[in-house]
């Protein structure tokens, strides 16, 4: 794969406040791009991070034919750069692409592009406890055509932003039973823009009522829980870890899959099954619901401290050192930074 590299003449890295990285407050100096036309990906290039130029008729702006991914690069104690299960993101990117009538990208192009960009921007992978560089691949339609049909021309590109290691304070979530994130036959499993735009309005309403996030329920009966915000959802009921099954309304999270595999190895009882709203409420009431948390790349694990349903709030017990969510969070962090369970082969080292 031949990549044309144009280096930035004025690095912005000296502007970074490492005490206050936040999430993608600082984009790295470069971005990767390539073009799709006449049926193939070409013109691979890395250039300084800058604005794009698009036709105002570009179909993405009108009809949202666009998909994205999110993964992270970590720096281990020896200074090596590691990425976590990128082949899972590649696979999911292509599932999203197919659903949106967009061209797929061969896994070697997807992963090589990330690798080459990280080589150029290697000094942007921060050191420090649980810090990382968030990698955001996106693909979008380019055709300047105001008519609805799959476009012929696309861009695939990658940008990166620094992410501080953050401990997610336990959050308040509301079980949403009016608005819908995803329906059977729809695009819920795809990381495509429409899902996130449609989720904004109900989330804003819930935020006015003091909730940080929503728990989405199925779009048909609103009787079964599916996801929490943009994270997959887990409960600890009695001593079992329980998570709803995938299917076309739930995003197939890499963190979710890693938690399920890891739990089996750690001899934590894990069940993938439907969870009804009434089970959530009754187990909260009778005390058998011990923990609830969201799982995703950004926070890894975000514990839930309160669940709201029909104008009533139910508290969860406080997280302790020995909570399952805490055990899994520490273990996953150790794995991602190459400190534990290397035999899982979940890390790809970027050779500089
Ligand atoms: C990205 C995402 C997730 C989490 O996926 P990870 O691969 O673990 O980051 C879960 N739900 C939704 C809706 C998402 O967009």
């Amino acid at each position: 794969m031949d990549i044309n590299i144009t280096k930035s003449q004025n690095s912005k890295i000296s502007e970074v406040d490492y005490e206050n990285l936040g999430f993608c407050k600082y984009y790295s100096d470069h971005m990767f791009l390539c073009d799709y036309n006449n049926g193939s990906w070409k013109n691979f290039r890395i250039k300084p991070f800058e604005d794009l130029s698009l036709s105002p008729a570009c179909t993405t702006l009108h009809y949202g034919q666009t998909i994205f991914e999110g993964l992270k690069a970590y720096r281990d104690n020896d200074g090596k750069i590691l990425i976590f299960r990128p082949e899972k993101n590649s696979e999911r990117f292509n599932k999203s692409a197919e659903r949106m009538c967009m061209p797929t990208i061969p896994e070697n192009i997807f992963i090589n592009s990330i690798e080459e960009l990280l080589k150029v921007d290697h000094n942007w992978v921060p050191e420090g406890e649980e810090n990382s560089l968030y990698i955001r691949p996106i693909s979008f339609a380019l055709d300047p055509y105001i008519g609805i049909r799959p476009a012929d021309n696309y861009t695939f590109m990658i940008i990166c932003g620094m992410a501080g290691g953050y401990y997610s304070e336990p959050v308040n979530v509301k079980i949403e039973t009016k608005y819908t994130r995803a329906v059977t036959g729809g695009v819920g499993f795809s990381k495509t823009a429409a899902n996130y735009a449609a989720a904004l309005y109900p989330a804003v309403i819930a935020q006015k009522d003091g909730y940080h996030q929503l728990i989405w329920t199925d779009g048909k009966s609103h009787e079964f829980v599916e996801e929490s915000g943009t994270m997959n959802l887990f409960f600890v009921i009695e001593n079992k870890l329980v998570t709803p099954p995938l299917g076309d309304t739930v995003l197939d999270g890499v963190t979710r899959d890693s938690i399920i595999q890891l739990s089996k190895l750690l001899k934590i009882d894990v069940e993938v099954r439907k969870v009804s709203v009434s089970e959530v409420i009754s187990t909260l009431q009778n005390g058998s619901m011990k923990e609830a948390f969201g799982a995703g790349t950004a926070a890894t694990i975000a514990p839930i401290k309160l669940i709201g349903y029909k104008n009533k709030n139910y508290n969860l017990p406080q997280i302790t050192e020995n909570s399952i969510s805490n055990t899994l969070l520490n273990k996953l962090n150790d794995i991602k930074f190459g400190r534990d369970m290397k035999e899982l082969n979940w890390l790809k080292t970027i050779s500089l």
Side-chain angles (χ1 to χ4, degrees):
M1 196 176 146
D2 224 4
I3 303 183
N4 186 301
I5 300 178
T6 313
K7 289 252 174 102
S8 157
Q9 292 308 309
N10 42 358
S11 173
K12 296 164 295 185
I13 200 152
S14 62
E15 294 166 17
V16 175
D17 172 6
Y18 284 92
E19 298 306 307
N20 202 354
L21 287 183
F23 184 73
C24 290
K25 213 161 69 172
Y26 303 104
Y27 295 105
S28 71
D29 286 328
H30 298 87
M31 59 189 191
F32 171 91
L33 294 124
C34 60
D35 309 322
Y36 184 89
N37 53 54
N38 297 321
S40 69
W41 292 103
K42 54 194 68 146
N43 196 12
F44 305 105
R45 56 205 190 273
I46 289 173
K47 56 190 263 185
F49 185 101
E50 63 182 17
D51 290 350
L52 301 171
S53 163
L54 297 171
S55 162
C58 165
T59 50
T60 298
L61 299 177
H62 302 260
Y63 310 121
Q65 210 190 356
T66 174
I67 56 172
F68 65 95
E69 266 306 322
L71 66 163
K72 283 175 167 178
Y74 306 88
R75 196 178 284 280
D76 74 4
N77 284 335
D78 305 328
K80 285 205 303 283
I81 295 173
L82 310 166
I83 45 178
F84 186 69
R85 308 188 72 188
E87 63 290 342
K88 293 286 291 177
N89 297 92
S90 165
E91 189 188 316
R92 187 171 66 193
F93 197 70
N94 286 338
K95 278 190 194 147
S96 298
E98 272 172 22
R99 181 63 179 82
M100 304 313 291
C101 289
M102 297 171 67
T104 55
I105 297 189
E107 183 184 291
N108 67 320
I109 296 186
F110 185 90
I111 294 178
N112 273 353
S113 317
I114 294 173
E115 257 188 295
E116 295 306 313
L117 180 59
L118 288 178
K119 283 184 192 174
V120 174
D121 274 341
H122 63 90
N123 54 341
W124 284 85
V125 182
E127 292 176 352
E129 194 59 21
E130 321 308 354
N131 289 340
S132 60
L133 185 67
Y134 183 76
I135 303 163
R136 169 53 64 95
I138 55 173
S139 182
F140 52 90
L142 266 192
D143 291 14
Y145 175 68
I146 301 194
I148 303 186
R149 66 167 190 216
D152 292 326
N153 302 282
Y154 296 85
T155 296
F156 168 63
M157 62 182 297
I158 307 169
I159 56 173
C160 302
M162 278 193 194
Y166 69 84
Y167 161 72
S168 170
E169 284 293 331
V171 292
N172 300 340
V173 299
K174 178 183 126 185
I175 298 181
E176 178 61 67
T177 51
K178 179 174 179 204
Y179 297 101
T180 299
R181 190 191 91 89
V183 288
T184 303
V187 296
F189 68 94
S190 171
K191 250 177 147 62
T192 189
N195 287 323
Y196 306 87
L200 293 174
Y201 183 77
V204 167
I205 293 177
Q207 279 155 15
K208 285 192 185 129
D209 294 332
Y211 300 100
H212 302 95
Q213 259 325 331
L214 296 172
I215 287 182
W216 297 106
T217 53
D218 72 281
K220 205 167 175 185
S221 65
H222 294 296
E223 278 172 26
F224 294 93
V225 298
E226 296 199 322
E227 295 202 59
S228 173
T230 57
M231 301 182 103
N232 293 112
L233 187 57
F234 284 83
F235 300 103
V236 178
I237 301 173
E238 296 296 354
N239 52 0
K240 279 206 179 82
L241 186 61
V242 181
T243 191
L246 296 175
D248 62 0
T249 59
V250 172
L251 206 288
D252 182 0
V254 180
T255 315
R256 174 186 180 277
D257 180 75
S258 307
I259 287 174
I260 293 171
Q261 287 196 45
L262 192 57
S263 297
K264 290 177 183 162
L265 295 172
L266 299 177
K267 308 269 184 277
I268 296 169
D269 243 337
V270 52
E271 266 180 17
V272 179
R273 63 164 172 86
K274 285 186 145 196
V275 181
S276 67
V277 175
S278 65
E279 177 182 4
V280 171
I281 301 306
S282 67
T283 54
L284 280 164
Q285 280 171 330
N286 69 23
S288 52
M289 168 87 70
K290 308 292 185 200
E291 301 177 43
F293 59 91
T297 297
T300 306
I301 283 178
I304 294 169
K305 70 171 191 294
L306 176 148
I307 296 179
Y309 178 62
K310 294 205 166 146
N311 299 318
K312 264 200 178 147
N313 288 329
Y314 303 85
N315 286 295
L316 279 126
Q318 248 181 327
I319 303 290
T320 67
E321 192 78 359
N322 297 323
S323 294
I324 288 182
S325 62
N326 203 42
T327 305
L328 289 169
L329 175 62
N330 291 334
K331 200 76 178 174
L332 273 171
N333 277 335
D334 284 343
I335 293 171
K336 289 176 173 181
F337 282 83
R339 299 186 292 247
D340 201 359
M341 302 181 87
K342 289 191 183 154
E343 66 280 8
L344 286 170
N345 264 323
W346 279 352
L347 296 172
K348 179 166 180 56
T349 306
I350 307 296
S351 37
L352 297 179

